Amino acid sequence: MGSTQSLPATPSAEEACPVPTEVNPLNPKGLKPCCACPETKSARDDCFLKTDTSVADEKCKELVQKHIECMRGYGFKV
């Protein structure tokens, strides 16, 4: 009927996904990529949304480069 075996302890979230304790000097607040550089991200996204797809790559290229530079400034490998 009932089992008397105990289940192994499930690891906590911290044990399952260890978070690095090192602080990146370029990103001391620990921003995630999705939250870094909101100004350049928004400008880039708006450009792609408002520009015809046939010319968007070329027209938005400068905004993409600015966003990449911003992300690299926080230490992200883009």
Side-chain angles (χ1 to χ4, degrees):
M1 298 191 222
S3 174
T4 58
Q5 289 180 326
S6 62
L7 296 174
T10 346
S12 68
E14 287 129 8
E15 293 171 333
C17 299
V19 177
T21 56
E22 302 169 14
V23 175
N24 178 348
L26 298 174
N27 185 5
K29 293 182 181 179
L31 293 173
K32 295 180 181 179
C34 61
C35 301
C37 306
E39 297 85 12
T40 57
K41 180 180 179 181
S42 178
R44 177 205 63 188
D45 293 349
D46 284 345
C47 183
F48 277 102
L49 290 171
K50 295 176 181 175
T51 306
D52 185 77
T53 56
S54 63
V55 294
D57 284 346
E58 188 59 38
K59 185 170 182 185
C60 304
K61 188 175 188 174
E62 185 177 323
L63 295 171
V64 170
Q65 288 303 314
K66 285 183 181 180
H67 185 60
I68 289 172
E69 288 172 21
C70 182
M71 296 291 287
R72 287 182 178 156
Y74 281 104
F76 296 110
K77 294 179 172 101
V78 182

